[in-house]
Amino acid sequence: MEDRLIIFDTTLRDGEQSPGAAMTQVEKVRIAKALERLKVDVIEAGFPIASQGDYEAVQGVARTIKDCTVCGLCRTAYEDIDRAAEALKDAPSMRIHTFIATSPIHMKAKLRMKPEEVLEAAIKAVKRARQYTDNVEFSAEDAIRSDGEFLCRVVEAVIDAGATTVNLPDTVGYGLPDTIGTFFREIIERVPNSDKAIFSAHCHNDLGLAVGNSLAAIKSGVRQVECTINGLGERAGNASLEEIVMAVRTRQDAFECDTRIDTAEILNCSRLVSTITGFPVQPNKAIVGANAFAHESGIHQDGVLKHRETYEIMRAEDVGWNSNRIVLGKLSGRNAFRTRLKEIGIEFPRQEDLNSAFKRFKELADRKSEIYDEDLQALVKDTETMTANERIKLVAMRTESETGEIPFAAVTLAIDGDERSSEESGDGQVDAAYSAVESIVGSGATVQLYSVNAITTGTDSQGEVIVRIERGGRIVNGHGADTDIIVASVKAYVNALNKIMFAVHREHPQASELTP
């Protein structure tokens, strides 16, 4: 299609900036492969200079993905740009994305730079990036709150310097749909060389308007939107990829463009991101929520049964519902297990990892008669957690609960191979178990969130537990799954403790701006 809308997915970068949503290299590659099946155009894989781990994750995505452009974020510092280029060099199609803030408040309070210094830094950064690739994106951070005249100067200059995409983000979610539409229209009209670049919108959801603002930008000439699966992202999140894609696809009467997205992959991608990050999808979430295509009202049910379009503007099957519901069981063999994993985008590079996952699959099948794709996602996540270099491991546990008696838990952990045990009581079995764990590790962390979700239907469903803990201002999420919810809870807590007690430093991409 000549007038195509480019989908720039930043789940692996901006989505990862959600407190507790940090991903390993293996997890980033898994999500990237799902995004490739979804047919997004650009995958922003991370911020290579942030840490060695982030560099290796971007490198891993670049070496794996063949059908999407892989992008790395960098500030205007030359070392940032050089590091990104090094991480991306093996990608069949690469993009360097450099940014600097242009709003008065950011330039004065954060950068402590004068407008002319910011302009010079932006030009030099784009020129440096062009030494590595002709696919360069420039972002004017906090563009929506920037002075219009100065912003036009910056945009014109970076296009002259070689930027092929210009992103004007609503970094703090301040915009409204009508003002966003006018903003983009005027910038495109005022910048003389605007026809030489693709304009992009990156909207945050602080006022719940990220999708609406993105759609307004599209109607004003923007042909790239930056978004995330499930709307994941800093603070209130980013614009939701699935909502933007389906709005444009469903309302072709209103939009003069479309995407290349394979919408049947949306639900699988949503579930994978939710499982890996530990951020559950709310039931009434558009497109991918459990209730998105459910009808409770008798009038609605009657209408849908008579003619689906009375109450459904999209087909559930078009976004992945009721598809690929292959059920495995205890009689399923290793080949069926491996084949199904591959079909949902999961492959193990090492045979021993596959063997470990298959063993856990058989153990689960003995406790649960039917195993669905959601069970497999959770099982693989749990296997990766257990086979990773975890310094704290759950060895054994026992809990007791009786009406009128105080619940009790006995827990044994291995810390760097040294087994330690503790017994504690609490307000419930989970509280008692957590107290026992804490008495062993002495982390000093506090639990901020404890969430339990049934992975599938039925009383034999695996319970998926997400626990969010905080220590010294750092927040992480832990994940655990088991048919026994108490065991799942302790697994999640131990997973979180490993992350928070043995952390790898990672710099925030907006912690500071560096100039060449």
Side-chain angles (χ1 to χ4, degrees), residues 3-38:
D3 200 7
R4 184 158 64 85
L5 178 63
I6 296 169
I7 297 298
F8 178 110
D9 183 276
T10 184
T11 303
L12 301 181
R13 199 276 302 172
D14 203 335
E16 192 187 28
Q17 290 173 205
S18 300
M23 309 169 204
T24 66
Q25 178 181 344
V26 171
E27 290 168 342
K28 279 198 170 189
V29 170
R30 280 181 61 199
I31 291 176
K33 289 165 71 175
L35 293 171
E36 184 177 36
R37 291 194 303 277
L38 185 62

Side-chain angles (χ1 to χ4, degrees), residues 22-336:
M23 309 169 204
T24 66
Q25 178 181 344
V26 171
E27 290 168 342
K28 279 198 170 189
V29 170
R30 280 181 61 199
I31 291 176
K33 289 165 71 175
L35 293 171
E36 184 177 36
R37 291 194 303 277
L38 185 62
K39 296 190 176 181
V40 304
D41 299 285
V42 183
I43 298 174
E44 188 167 51
F47 181 49
I49 207 166
S51 67
Q52 180 63 23
D54 219 35
Y55 170 86
E56 291 173 358
V58 173
Q59 187 179 61
V61 172
R63 290 173 174 174
T64 303
I65 299 304
K66 308 301 180 189
D67 193 36
C68 307
T69 295
V70 180
C71 175
L73 182 71
C74 47
R75 295 164 297 191
T76 52
Y78 282 176
E79 55 263 43
D80 277 41
I81 296 166
D82 297 344
R83 186 70 164 164
E86 179 67 22
L88 294 166
K89 68 180 181 180
D90 295 327
S93 174
M94 66 178 277
R95 174 183 294 188
I96 294 177
H97 180 192
T98 184
F99 76 99
I100 193 168
T102 56
S103 67
I105 188 172
H106 276 247
M107 289 189 291
K108 181 179 179 181
K110 185 179 72 170
L111 300 181
R112 293 179 171 84
M113 293 171 66
K114 295 178 181 178
E116 293 304 317
E117 293 174 320
V118 168
L119 176 60
E120 182 183 4
I123 294 170
K124 287 184 175 180
V126 171
K127 288 183 177 179
R128 182 74 167 197
R130 282 293 302 232
Q131 294 179 15
Y132 296 105
T133 177
D134 59 3
N135 191 341
V136 176
E137 176 171 342
F138 172 79
S139 285
E141 186 187 2
D142 204 23
I144 301 302
R145 296 193 296 174
S146 299
D147 174 75
E149 183 176 343
F150 175 64
L151 185 61
C152 284
R153 287 181 60 204
V154 172
V155 170
E156 182 179 0
V158 297
I159 294 175
D160 278 343
T164 50
T165 301
V166 175
N167 181 43
L168 303 178
D170 184 11
T171 303
V172 294
Y174 184 73
L176 303 174
D178 57 342
T179 59
I180 289 283
T182 301
F183 167 82
F184 275 102
R185 190 179 303 110
E186 290 182 349
I187 294 293
I188 292 171
E189 289 174 354
R190 290 173 61 184
V191 173
N193 56 357
S194 63
D195 61 318
K196 293 181 171 60
I198 293 170
F199 279 77
S200 173
H202 178 122
C203 299
H204 277 264
N205 205 40
D206 297 72
L207 295 176
L209 296 169
V211 170
N213 286 341
S214 298
L215 295 175
I218 294 168
K219 291 179 75 69
S220 293
V222 161
R223 285 301 175 264
Q224 175 179 285
V225 285
E226 306 194 358
C227 43
T228 61
I229 299 296
N230 300 336
L232 192 68
E234 272 195 297
R235 303 185 311 278
N238 288 270
S240 165
L241 179 149
E242 57 274 9
E243 293 176 24
I244 291 173
V245 167
M246 293 311 296
V248 171
R249 183 69 52 86
T250 304
R251 293 301 308 273
Q252 280 290 282
D253 60 316
F255 294 95
E256 298 177 351
C257 58
D258 199 1
T259 72
R260 72 165 192 154
I261 294 293
D262 180 358
T263 61
E265 292 292 333
I266 284 176
L267 186 61
N268 280 337
C269 207
S270 168
R271 285 172 169 166
L272 177 62
V273 170
S274 177
T275 298
I276 286 177
T277 62
F279 281 63
V281 175
Q282 66 193 60
N284 61 328
K285 168 77 167 65
I287 315 298
V288 294
N291 292 346
F293 294 90
H295 302 277
E296 176 70 19
S297 164
I299 295 175
H300 286 214
Q301 291 173 344
D302 181 63
V304 168
L305 289 172
K306 289 176 177 175
H307 190 75
R308 180 187 60 81
E309 293 181 358
T310 53
Y311 287 103
E312 287 187 0
I313 60 173
M314 299 168 283
R315 294 194 325 143
E317 295 83 356
D318 290 342
V319 296
W321 288 99
N322 299 320
S323 62
N324 295 327
R325 302 288 292 181
I326 304 299
V327 182
L328 297 175
K330 63 181 181 180
L331 298 180
S332 299
R334 188 185 304 269
N335 186 50

Side-chain angles (χ1 to χ4, degrees), residues 394 396-400 408-412 421-424 432-433 436-437 440:
L394 174 63
M397 64 172 290
R398 176 173 59 87
T399 61
E400 293 180 2
F408 159 90
V411 175
T412 299
S421 300
S422 179
E423 299 180 0
E424 296 288 341
V437 170
I440 297 172

Side-chain angles (χ1 to χ4, degrees), residues 299-504:
I299 295 175
H300 286 214
Q301 291 173 344
D302 181 63
V304 168
L305 289 172
K306 289 176 177 175
H307 190 75
R308 180 187 60 81
E309 293 181 358
T310 53
Y311 287 103
E312 287 187 0
I313 60 173
M314 299 168 283
R315 294 194 325 143
E317 295 83 356
D318 290 342
V319 296
W321 288 99
N322 299 320
S323 62
N324 295 327
R325 302 288 292 181
I326 304 299
V327 182
L328 297 175
K330 63 181 181 180
L331 298 180
S332 299
R334 188 185 304 269
N335 186 50
F337 175 71
R338 181 177 56 244
T339 300
R340 188 59 200 144
L341 286 180
K342 187 174 182 179
E343 287 172 353
I344 61 175
I346 301 170
E347 294 184 69
F348 290 102
R350 301 188 309 168
Q351 183 64 35
E352 52 264 43
D353 293 336
L354 174 63
N355 293 341
S356 177
F358 184 67
K359 179 182 177 182
R360 292 178 57 75
F361 161 73
K362 284 294 191 178
E363 291 171 353
L364 178 61
D366 284 335
R367 292 176 284 154
K368 189 176 187 296
S369 58
E370 296 181 335
I371 298 177
Y372 295 89
D373 290 351
E374 297 91 328
D375 292 308
L376 295 178
Q377 299 271 17
L379 182 146
V380 170
K381 170 69 175 177
D382 217 30
T383 301
E384 288 175 346
T385 297
M386 294 184 68
T387 56
N389 187 26
E390 301 276 79
R391 295 178 62 180
I392 307 172
K393 297 181 180 180
L394 174 63
V395 176
M397 64 172 290
R398 176 173 59 87
T399 61
E400 293 180 2
S401 182
E402 183 180 346
T403 304
E405 299 295 329
I406 298 175
F408 159 90
V411 175
T412 299
L413 302 177
I415 303 178
D416 292 330
D418 178 26
E419 291 193 7
R420 306 177 195 176
S421 300
S422 179
E423 299 180 0
E424 296 288 341
S425 59
D427 291 335
Q429 289 174 287
V430 172
D431 184 53
Y434 279 22
S435 295
V437 170
E438 182 60 25
S439 70
I440 297 172
V441 300
S443 71
T446 58
V447 176
Q448 291 196 330
L449 172 73
Y450 173 79
S451 172
V452 180
N453 297 282
I455 293 175
T456 54
T457 59
T459 56
D460 66 345
S461 170
Q462 283 194 94
E464 180 182 48
V465 174
I466 308 299
V467 61
R468 180 175 299 167
I469 63 175
E470 182 272 337
R471 186 178 75 165
R474 185 163 184 263
I475 298 173
V476 300
N477 282 348
H479 171 276
D482 199 275
T483 52
D484 185 325
I485 203 64
I486 311 301
V487 174
S489 299
V490 176
K491 285 181 178 178
Y493 191 40
V494 168
N495 181 225
L497 288 171
N498 273 292
K499 293 177 181 178
I500 210 162
M501 294 181 70
F502 310 107
V504 176

